[in-house]
Amino acid sequence: MKLMHCPVNGWRPIQEFSYGGAFRPMPPPGECSDRQWADYVFHRSGAAAVKKEWWCHLASGVWFIAERNTSTDEILRTYLYGEDDRHE
């Protein structure tokens, strides 16, 4: 059984989670150009890599970020939004 670590609830079966999409910093809507906004909304890299993603633990409603290698499907770490000690 595949497990994922929820930062609040600990190790849980993967069936208890829902993928919420790629985590990407949003440009300030009132300050960015149309080109910057369109790039944020429409342009994403589909290349295999380590990516930050939003995930939700469905039983508790906790949203968090997981760093996952999309090539191997290995989840490297999980943490609550704002608790990342690594800066982009």
Side-chain angles (χ1 to χ4, degrees), residues 31-62:
E31 300 173 20
C32 68
S33 68
D34 288 345
R35 179 185 279 280
Q36 290 170 313
W37 187 252
D39 185 55
Y40 169 73
V41 172
F42 297 111
H43 300 131
R44 296 181 178 95
S45 171
V50 173
K51 297 187 178 186
K52 291 182 179 183
E53 304 169 327
W54 283 106
W55 283 83
C56 180
H57 180 237
L58 298 172
S60 64
V62 173

